[in-house]
Amino acid sequence: MTTFKGLSCLMAICAISLTTFCQNPISEPKKEEKKEVQPSKKWYDKISLRGYAQIRYNRLLETNEKLKCEQCDKSWGENGGFFMRRGRLVFSGDISDRLYIYIQPDFASNVSNSFQHSFQIRDAYFDLALDTKKEYRLRFGQSKVPYGFENMQSSQNRLALDRADGTNSPVSNERDLGVFFYYAPAEIRERFKYLVNSGLKGSGDYGVFAFGAYNGQNANKAELNNEPHIVSRITYPFKLKSGQIIETSVQAYTGKFVIEKTATKNKATETQYIDRRMAGSLVIYPQPFGFQAEYNIGEGPEFNPTTMKTEIKSLNGGYAQLMYRKKVGENHITPFVKYQYYNGGKKHEIDARRYIVKDLEIGAEWQLKDFFELTAIYTTSDRTFEDAALPINNQTGNLLRLQAQFNF
């Protein structure tokens, strides 16, 4: 009897256990999901590549083949033909959270009148951010010298085919080798970026405040004295309630420049000259009407045809430009008028040539989406450019200039 009761209890326990197991079966241990580890980007994955090229022809409706412009466009005048003005490739990117690189060679550089389309570095600089927002930066290498709005503005964005003589004469090719400090709040850095990407012809991000030291002999040239040039610039793009953006700037630099080329008839005994300037800039971005003006004064080397010497002389000059930007479908048409004046020397040219420039340009840019631009400009020019080999030289004339630009 006792055995029967024990067996009954055991069977009851088994029945309860079987019921419990059926209601709550033993589950297999969950397998841990394997998280895919994304490989870190290599440095070359962080580099972007872009560029542009410009093809020009300046001989249409030309009235004086002796009228030339060495610093702005060597294909002006006699023996000028189809001309590749620029052929740029830009390698850029954030290599790390604090390091940005920018390398821009040009495959349309001209070593001489007969040797063209050589490969040459235009920019090769490295930005080291001093804070996480990248509001404070140090720029090392060859880059644009922060002086003037039009000088900072890329030729890819500029309306006129060439920069004005007065404000471009301080730094040939706008660049030199040095170290520059830039500061701009993050919000204003975004505004600088918008002014370029929106097609409003911005100058790019060169800080609200800039200060730096550079060799002073220009890009791809060796330093020829022991005194660097010092430069500083303050600029700010004000945004009005209407959405209109107005940018104002002041800038100045000082140093000593060594004249590299002098003619045998030049009686000057010095080769090193004081070189200093200051300038003001005003830009009202074309929304749709726009206005742009800059003017600079200073002193530097200039050839004197009376004494047949290169001397330190005062200089002044600038430009004013009116423009109107109109959207037509997916394209943009921007007519403009520009007048420039300059009275002073050009230190980069032989003997630091003496110049008096009075140019009027009437033109228009047609931008087909973002990959092609066609610009036509009718130029009326009055230029005096004199050196020891040609101490009396004034040329006037008109010409129609055409440029096709390809963005890629």
Side-chain angles (χ1 to χ4, degrees):
M1 190 67 177
T2 303
T3 302
F4 179 75
K5 287 182 179 180
L7 183 59
S8 299
C9 291
L10 181 61
M11 292 177 66
I13 292 172
C14 290
I16 293 170
S17 300
L18 182 60
T19 303
T20 303
F21 176 77
C22 292
Q23 293 175 349
N24 302 287
I26 298 175
S27 59
E28 294 183 4
K30 293 183 178 179
K31 294 181 180 179
E32 293 185 5
E33 295 182 0
K34 292 184 179 180
K35 295 182 179 180
E36 294 185 5
V37 179
Q38 296 292 336
S40 59
K41 286 186 176 181
K42 303 295 184 182
W43 66 268
Y44 46 79
D45 293 325
K46 303 175 183 178
I47 302 295
S48 65
L49 172 63
R50 60 181 177 83
Y52 69 101
Q54 296 172 339
I55 310 297
R56 292 184 182 177
Y57 190 75
N58 295 312
R59 306 302 301 277
L60 293 175
L61 306 182
E62 181 185 79
T63 61
N64 181 4
E65 66 176 14
K66 299 297 182 182
L67 178 65
K68 296 186 177 183
C69 182
E70 180 176 312
Q71 184 172 336
C72 59
D73 189 334
K74 290 182 174 63
S75 66
W76 276 41
E78 58 185 343
N79 300 323
F82 290 101
F83 184 63
M84 181 176 286
R85 182 66 175 90
R86 291 175 179 86
R88 305 283 175 88
L89 293 173
V90 179
F91 302 85
S92 63
D94 289 295
I95 300 303
S96 70
D97 293 339
R98 296 291 185 94
L99 180 61
Y100 172 82
I101 72 167
Y102 187 100
I103 299 174
Q104 179 179 219
D106 188 348
F107 53 82
S109 298
N110 301 319
V111 177
S112 66
N113 290 335
S114 59
F115 181 19
Q116 298 183 341
H117 308 154
S118 63
F119 203 67
Q120 189 180 81
I121 287 293
R122 275 290 177 264
D123 297 278
Y125 63 80
F126 311 90
D127 279 2
L128 182 64
L130 304 180
D131 65 311
T132 56
K133 290 185 177 181
K134 302 180 182 180
E135 295 182 336
Y136 300 86
R137 295 169 289 152
L138 281 175
R139 176 167 295 177
F140 301 83
Q142 181 167 293
S143 66
K144 288 186 175 179
V145 175
Y147 183 86
F149 175 87
E150 197 178 51
N151 285 355
M152 300 295 97
Q153 187 182 39
S154 171
S155 301
Q156 187 176 15
N157 300 325
R158 192 180 60 250
L159 282 172
L161 298 190
D162 296 300
R163 295 177 173 90
D165 291 60
T167 48
N168 191 230
S169 55
V171 189
S172 180
N173 293 320
E174 306 83 54
R175 296 162 172 85
D176 209 326
L177 187 62
V179 179
F180 303 94
F181 168 78
Y182 291 108
Y183 163 74
E187 177 187 358
I188 302 304
R189 294 198 68 192
E190 286 298 317
R191 190 172 299 172
F192 283 137
K193 184 178 180 181
Y194 165 77
L195 289 170
V196 173
N197 294 342
S198 63
L200 292 178
K201 309 294 184 183
S203 66
D205 182 2
Y206 292 90
V208 167
F209 172 75
F211 180 83
Y214 59 101
N215 284 342
Q217 289 299 133
N218 298 323
N220 302 316
K221 299 285 185 68
E223 173 66 305
L224 297 178
N225 58 24
N226 295 319
E227 183 174 330
H229 277 51
I230 304 298
V231 66
S232 187
R233 179 175 186 250
I234 298 175
T235 188
Y236 197 89
F238 297 92
K239 187 173 183 179
L240 307 183
K241 290 182 178 179
S242 62
Q244 177 70 56
I245 299 176
I246 300 174
E247 186 171 347
T248 59
S249 315
V250 291
Q251 47 263 306
Y253 77 86
T254 184
K256 289 185 177 180
F257 185 81
V258 178
I259 299 293
E260 293 185 81
K261 298 178 182 179
T262 55
T264 55
K265 294 181 180 181
N266 192 328
K267 298 179 181 179
T269 57
E270 301 292 331
T271 59
Q272 183 168 280
Y273 299 85
I274 291 172
D275 176 29
R276 55 192 177 197
R277 301 194 190 194
M278 63 182 299
S281 309
L282 171 65
V283 180
I284 302 174
Y285 287 93
Q287 299 170 287
F289 289 96
F291 176 75
Q292 186 174 317
E294 297 187 88
Y295 202 84
N296 76 160
I297 59 173
E299 59 180 346
E302 178 185 338
F303 179 74
N304 186 340
T306 303
T307 62
M308 292 296 287
K309 293 181 180 180
T310 298
E311 304 170 352
I312 297 173
K313 303 196 71 168
S314 61
L315 56 88
N316 66 95
Y319 69 92
Q321 177 177 285
L322 289 170
M323 48 201 160
Y324 175 77
R325 187 168 184 258
K326 174 68 174 178
K327 186 173 183 181
V328 181
E330 296 183 5
N331 309 321
H332 285 89
I333 296 176
T334 310
F336 66 95
V337 178
K338 181 179 183 181
Y339 177 78
Q340 66 157 318
Y341 167 81
Y342 179 56
N343 186 344
K346 287 196 178 181
K347 59 188 180 184
H348 318 105
E349 299 182 13
I350 189 168
D351 296 326
R353 281 193 184 104
R354 172 178 180 259
Y355 273 82
I356 300 177
V357 178
K358 301 172 185 177
D359 282 2
L360 175 65
E361 297 178 296
I362 302 174
E365 176 194 88
W366 174 56
Q367 185 175 17
L368 178 62
K369 294 186 178 179
D370 59 354
F371 58 83
F372 177 73
E373 296 174 18
L374 180 64
T375 303
I377 299 176
Y378 189 73
T379 301
T380 298
S381 182
D382 182 343
R383 288 176 170 260
T384 296
F385 45 108
E386 300 170 334
D387 54 43
L390 201 60
I392 300 175
N393 183 35
N394 172 252
Q395 303 294 337
T396 62
N398 306 324
L399 65 156
L400 178 63
R401 309 180 65 197
L402 300 175
Q403 174 180 280
Q405 176 173 302
F406 306 90
N407 307 314
F408 49 86

